[in-house]
Amino acid sequence: MKTSLSWIKAYVPELDVSYQEYMDGMTLSGTKVENYEVFDADLDKIVIGQIVSVEKHPNADKLMICQVNIGKETIQIVTGAPNVKVGAKVPVVLDGGRVAGGHDGSKTPGGVVIKNGQLRGVDSFGMMCSIEEMGSDREMFPEAPENGLYIFDDDAEVGADAIEALGFHDAVYEYEVTSNRVDCYSVIGIAREAAATFRKPFILPEIKPTGNSENAADYVKVTVKDPELCPRYIARVVKNVKIGPSPKWMQRRLASVGIRPINNLVDITNYVMEEYGQPMHAYDLSTIAGREIIVRRAEQGEIFTTLDGQERKLDDQVVVICDGEKAVGIGGIMGGENSMITDNVQTVLFEAANFDGTNIRLSSKRIGLRTDASGKFEKGLDPNQAELAINRACELIEELACGEVVGGKVDVYPSVKEGNRVKLEPEKINALLGTDVSKEDMIEYLKRVDLAYDAGMDEIVVPSWRQDVKCMNDLAEEVARFYGYDKIPTTLPSGEATSGKLSLKMRLEEMARDIAESFGFSQAMTYSFESPKVYDKLLLEKDDALRNAIVISNPLGEDFSIMRTLPLNGMLTSLATNYNYRNKNVRLYELANIYLPKALPLTELPEERMQFVMGAYGEVDFYEMKAVVEGIFASFGMTARVQYENKGGYTFLHPGRQAVIAYEGTVCGYLGELHPMVLDGYGIGERAYVAVLDMPAVIPFATFDRKFTQVPRFPAVTRDISLVVPREISSGRIIDVIEKNGGAILEHCDLFDLYEGAQILAGYKSMAYTIRFRAKDKTLDENDITPVMNQIMEGLKELGITLRQ
């Protein structure tokens, strides 16, 4: 985005800053200026002179001797310019003055200093110059001759500053505008930011009503067949059009931002596009068949010739503007050759429309045509700006006497876009920024950029053209940039990162790795991408919810076409690889993410859960995997007993050798021996075991708080009991009874023997436990232990458990 400083001052007339101050101020307030070019940087001591007389040089055929009135005096200048004539008012560089470069348009850094001297023996006091020697060209000054002196209009004041008369006391700034600040892709948007930055009044152009007593709806009919791609279409009509050059002030402003002036009609549409950021288009109404405009999708393969004379092949995603018979323009990109404005135009149809930004960007790319209009539309313009822009264009039409504006307009706007409202939360804004800005100051900062405050609702009213302000953080950004980024104090960030330590989640993951490695496990890393065939290898039921996986839109291949919902395939594949390499006693672990969609097809991001997976074969069994799990829980500060229950719900595990891992009633994972059919599917020829901990379920119970426990002063008393237990009773239920009835003196109990055989009744098993008692204030004796043991046995009898004789 480019603007000249003089154009900005048209809306901020009290702005009085240097070029560098403007650049620094705008950049610090969030409107970053990439660079700027000063027009008069290499120009000095140039005035408007009038040629009084012209005579031939006595010693040169191509040189002329001119007497030039420069206001205070008349000086003699020798020149070779072919267009010198008596009465012409031209730029005159005085002795010691500077021009930017040569007549061929070349520029000299620092400029060229002009000195009094002689040309072929005749004194010359200064130099008359061309527009190229002043550092510009005919693009910016189309009235300048192709070869010769620049000649001012007759009303130019002799002796006045020629640099000022040409508008060269100015600079053009180039801004880096982020795509979310669509309003700043206009001169008015930048001017509003400048006014807010330098605390000067912002004066928006007052658009006067235009139009005769007629109605535009009598001239043209508009139909929009796809409102999603064209949310708004406005048409106005101008008749009795008079084509001619636009005024020089308009030409200068357009040329300063790189737009070549053409004629008054085209220049007005370009001017409004830059001023309001709303592209417009003009059609010759006589070429519009049936005086009807239809906005539709193009036909697949439709051929259309644009204004540049090129044939474009369209598809059904491109928006075309049509009349009653044919396409006359590509919506939001470029008009057609068949409806172009010519010098013979009598009645003009003005179009100000709004198009879907994403569609314009993709369409522009597909057909290989990007224009100034498409560059603005693809950002996603505010449809409410279209009406302001077209009314402004009609005002300029009347102001510049380009034609007669027909009253009324045709406005197709089925779904009006409203502004937004955001709750003003000063405390949260200050907490986010690390500042102490008062609520009143915040309201004043926001008011500068037309973000009004509704005191009744305690909300900020956001206009529709500020599409970037949607939440509290956006308001905080506005406050920060006008409070001053340089004034925000340096503070440490809040949270665990302040002290330079890992987050709780990362510390727990690191601790789990350490525990697993202390048991001889090595870390593995596998892909999150899998094949749908994995579910069959893991023996999942056909209707198992875990089969509902996210399908990757551009997979590496079928074997990597879905996101995993189980962490086992990678682990079992790694175990199988080690088994095939004849590695013995393999133990692996992995921190593996799984991806559980909330709905398919995806409507939001899936649930991503970290699973701590362990797999092993060789010198390992179910109980050693259980010991690793309990070691991890103990390191997490989880002191309650871990519970295990065989529910037989995991098809990939052996039905009689699996368990759900639970802690305080919450399921945290599972462990067990792999099903023989799964082992066969992966080619593992011996028993293998896995344990999976769901870290999001475990972390809420974890703590690094540790309490000091005094070393016991009094000895412990142990009792060993051997029990005859029904086979269906688990050890966990027995320990629950012992802990429930053991009272305050129970310190610990352990299963140390399990026996099933001929010496035990069928349907029963023998289980032996060591129970340890200790008191904090005395040495226990038999009178203390016996009642507790009796109570424990009473509790066990309720489960059908007896002492083994």
Side-chain angles (χ1 to χ4, degrees):
M1 179 65 194
K2 288 183 178 181
T3 70
S4 65
L5 187 57
S6 62
W7 201 346
I8 296 297
K9 288 182 177 179
Y11 314 109
V12 193
E14 295 183 19
L15 184 62
D16 184 20
V17 291
S18 69
Y19 298 138
Q20 188 64 43
E21 286 172 343
Y22 179 84
M23 176 179 178
D24 294 342
M26 293 294 283
T27 299
L28 283 175
S29 68
T31 309
K32 183 181 179 183
V33 178
E34 286 289 303
N35 53 63
Y36 65 94
E37 179 185 359
V38 180
F39 290 152
D40 62 355
D42 298 326
L43 304 177
D44 190 28
K45 296 179 68 176
I46 306 176
V47 299
I48 299 175
Q50 185 172 26
I51 300 175
V52 177
S53 65
V54 179
E55 60 181 82
K56 292 184 63 65
H57 195 291
N59 302 320
D61 293 337
K62 294 184 178 182
L63 296 181
M64 307 295 289
I65 302 173
C66 302
Q67 302 301 317
V68 183
N69 176 14
I70 59 171
K72 295 181 180 180
E73 59 180 321
T74 299
I75 61 176
Q76 178 174 286
I77 298 177
V78 179
T79 181
N83 63 333
V84 293
K85 61 180 180 179
V86 174
K89 295 179 179 180
V90 297
V92 177
V93 190
L94 304 179
D95 179 39
R98 285 181 301 154
V99 291
H103 182 71
D104 59 356
S106 61
K107 293 186 179 181
T108 302
V112 178
V113 179
I114 303 301
K115 296 287 188 181
N116 293 341
Q118 289 188 338
L119 287 176
R120 295 289 184 94
V122 176
D123 291 335
S124 182
F125 302 95
M127 183 184 82
M128 295 180 288
C129 54
S130 65
I131 199 67
E132 286 81 10
E133 288 167 324
M134 297 190 72
S136 190
D137 53 38
R138 296 181 70 246
E139 285 286 318
M140 191 165 182
F141 292 84
E143 74 277 11
E146 187 173 352
N147 184 23
L149 304 177
Y150 180 79
I151 299 178
F152 289 98
D153 292 337
D154 293 339
D155 59 355
E157 180 185 352
V158 174
D161 183 354
I163 302 172
E164 182 177 355
L166 291 168
F168 285 163
H169 290 315
D170 199 2
V172 168
Y173 291 81
E174 183 172 1
Y175 307 87
E176 180 185 321
V177 181
T178 55
S179 58
N180 66 324
R181 288 303 306 272
V182 180
D183 58 298
C184 286
Y185 284 95
S186 66
V187 179
I188 284 178
I190 297 293
R192 183 182 285 107
E193 290 292 310
T197 298
F198 297 102
R199 303 192 179 193
K200 301 295 182 182
F202 171 68
I203 301 176
L204 193 65
E206 182 180 351
I207 302 175
K208 300 175 183 177
T210 57
N212 58 23
S213 59
E214 297 177 278
N215 192 337
D218 297 331
Y219 282 77
V220 65
K221 176 185 176 183
V222 176
T223 303
V224 178
K225 292 189 174 181
D226 196 331
E228 289 188 4
L229 297 186
C230 181
R232 190 176 195 182
Y233 191 102
I234 304 179
R236 293 198 69 177
V237 176
V238 177
K239 66 180 186 178
N240 302 324
V241 173
K242 299 174 184 177
I243 297 294
S246 56
K248 289 185 177 179
W249 64 266
M250 181 176 285
Q251 293 185 26
R252 303 291 185 266
R253 287 182 180 178
L254 290 175
S256 70
V257 295
I259 298 177
R260 180 173 63 88
I262 298 175
N263 59 49
N264 51 7
L265 204 59
V266 175
D267 290 354
I268 285 172
T269 60
N270 286 334
Y271 184 84
V272 173
M273 178 177 71
E274 293 301 311
E275 186 178 41
Y276 280 87
Q278 170 67 49
M280 295 179 58
H281 192 69
Y283 300 97
D284 185 341
L285 189 59
S286 66
T287 65
I288 303 300
R291 293 198 170 188
E292 180 181 14
I293 290 293
I294 301 172
V295 184
R296 62 168 174 82
R297 292 175 183 262
E299 301 291 339
Q300 189 70 32
E302 184 174 345
I303 303 298
F304 180 72
T305 303
T306 47
L307 274 171
D308 57 4
Q310 299 293 314
E311 284 192 350
R312 312 283 177 178
K313 187 175 181 180
L314 313 180
D315 59 33
D316 59 4
Q317 298 301 309
V318 177
V319 178
V320 290
I321 313 298
C322 306
D323 60 18
E325 299 175 354
K326 61 188 181 300
V328 294
I330 302 177
I333 300 177
M334 184 178 280
E337 190 177 48
N338 55 10
S339 61
M340 66 186 297
I341 299 293
T342 66
D343 292 342
N344 299 320
V345 66
Q346 294 296 314
T347 306
V348 168
L349 170 66
F350 269 122
E351 163 196 292
N354 184 264
F355 299 99
D356 178 73
T358 302
N359 177 268
I360 293 298
R361 178 176 59 83
L362 296 175
S363 297
S364 177
K365 185 176 181 180
R366 285 196 305 274
I367 65 177
L369 178 62
R370 194 171 191 273
T371 60
D372 289 337
S374 68
K376 292 184 183 295
F377 275 124
E378 68 187 25
K379 305 297 188 301
L381 300 183
D382 174 23
N384 294 324
Q385 291 293 100
E387 183 175 4
L388 292 172
I390 201 167
N391 289 342
R392 173 64 165 159
C394 290
E395 179 190 42
L396 290 171
I397 288 287
E398 288 193 352
E399 183 180 316
L400 304 182
C402 298
E404 181 183 352
V405 179
V406 174
K409 62 181 181 294
V410 180
D411 188 359
V412 180
Y413 194 14
S415 180
V416 177
K417 181 175 182 179
E418 302 292 344
N420 188 22
R421 283 177 172 264
V422 180
K423 182 76 173 176
L424 181 61
E425 301 174 287
E427 297 80 9
K428 289 185 178 181
I429 291 175
N430 280 321
L432 179 65
L433 299 178
T435 56
D436 188 20
V437 182
S438 68
K439 181 178 182 178
E440 291 72 22
D441 285 343
M442 289 184 185
I443 293 172
E444 192 274 329
Y445 295 150
L446 297 171
K447 184 179 178 182
R448 291 190 209 169
V449 284
D450 291 347
L451 300 177
Y453 176 62
D454 183 343
M457 301 296 293
D458 196 24
E459 293 176 335
I460 296 299
V461 182
V462 183
S464 58
W465 44 265
R466 279 304 299 271
Q467 301 176 32
D468 60 306
V469 180
K470 299 177 181 178
C471 63
M472 183 276 294
N473 287 356
D474 297 324
L475 292 181
E477 182 182 3
E478 297 298 304
V479 170
R481 64 195 189 96
F482 292 119
Y483 173 75
Y485 291 122
D486 55 329
K487 296 180 183 177
I488 296 177
T490 300
T491 57
L492 290 172
S494 60
E496 293 177 329
T498 304
S499 57
K501 63 182 180 182
L502 298 175
S503 67
L504 174 64
K505 174 179 176 294
M506 296 177 70
R507 280 186 285 164
L508 293 174
E509 290 172 0
E510 186 177 75
M511 189 167 288
R513 284 195 292 266
D514 290 343
I515 296 299
E517 289 169 5
S518 70
F519 278 87
F521 286 76
S522 299
Q523 186 169 10
M525 297 184 71
T526 63
Y527 290 113
S528 296
F529 308 149
E530 292 185 338
S531 167
K533 299 175 183 177
V534 165
Y535 301 130
D536 293 331
K537 294 178 70 175
L538 293 174
L539 308 180
L540 294 186
E541 301 291 343
K542 296 298 182 183
D543 58 350
D544 196 307
L546 292 175
R547 287 181 178 266
N548 297 325
I550 301 166
V551 178
I552 300 169
S553 59
N554 55 342
L556 299 173
E558 185 183 3
D559 289 344
F560 303 95
S561 60
I562 61 171
M563 302 296 292
R564 64 185 174 191
T565 57
L566 272 171
L568 294 178
N569 177 64
M571 175 59 66
L572 299 185
T573 302
S574 298
L575 291 177
T577 300
N578 279 276
Y579 182 80
N580 292 331
Y581 286 169
R582 302 181 184 276
N583 293 328
K584 298 180 179 180
N585 303 320
V586 174
R587 301 184 179 196
L588 300 175
Y589 76 89
E590 180 185 12
L591 282 161
N593 279 326
I594 60 171
Y595 305 87
L596 305 176
K598 298 173 184 176
L600 288 177
L602 285 178
T603 56
E604 56 182 312
L605 291 175
E607 181 183 7
E608 187 174 344
R609 299 184 73 87
M610 176 67 75
Q611 311 267 285
F612 190 84
V613 190
M614 293 178 287
Y617 67 81
E619 296 179 3
V620 66
D621 58 19
F622 181 94
Y623 297 103
E624 187 157 3
M625 297 295 284
K626 177 172 170 284
V628 181
V629 170
E630 294 187 351
I632 291 174
F633 280 22
S635 69
F636 287 0
M638 299 164 65
T639 56
R641 188 172 57 81
V642 184
Q643 299 166 324
Y644 303 90
E645 186 173 352
N646 183 358
K647 294 185 177 180
Y650 299 100
T651 57
F652 43 82
L653 297 179
H654 192 292
R657 300 166 188 167
Q658 60 173 274
V660 170
I661 303 170
Y663 187 83
E664 294 189 357
T666 299
V667 174
C668 298
Y670 53 88
L671 81 158
E673 181 181 329
L674 285 166
H675 196 288
M677 292 177 63
V678 173
L679 291 173
D680 289 343
Y682 282 91
I684 302 174
E686 58 179 287
R687 288 184 175 184
Y689 299 86
V690 293
V692 177
L693 295 179
D694 184 43
M695 296 301 285
V698 174
I699 288 175
F701 298 105
T703 177
F704 285 100
D705 294 337
R706 299 291 186 266
K707 292 183 178 180
F708 170 73
T709 301
Q710 185 177 2
V711 176
R713 295 173 56 196
F714 299 96
V717 177
T718 61
R719 292 288 186 270
D720 291 344
I721 58 173
S722 181
L723 306 173
V724 178
V725 183
R727 184 172 293 174
E728 67 274 10
I729 301 296
S730 67
S731 175
R733 293 183 65 184
I734 296 172
I735 293 176
D736 284 340
V737 172
I738 294 173
E739 290 180 345
K740 180 180 178 180
N741 295 282
I745 63 173
L746 176 67
E747 186 176 75
H748 189 65
C749 66
D750 268 327
L751 172 70
F752 68 86
D753 184 61
L754 173 64
Y755 172 74
E756 294 182 67
Q759 299 181 27
I760 303 297
L761 293 173
Y764 288 83
K765 56 187 174 182
S766 172
M767 304 180 77
Y769 290 86
T770 293
I771 304 176
R772 186 168 67 243
F773 299 97
R774 192 193 304 268
K776 295 180 180 179
D777 55 352
K778 66 176 183 178
T779 299
L780 297 174
D781 57 26
E782 196 62 32
N783 294 329
D784 300 311
I785 302 300
T786 300
V788 176
M789 286 299 300
N790 291 337
Q791 190 171 338
I792 289 172
M793 290 308 303
E794 288 296 325
L796 293 174
K797 285 179 182 179
E798 295 179 5
L799 298 178
I801 300 172
T802 59
L803 284 173
R804 184 179 178 185
Q805 301 300 323

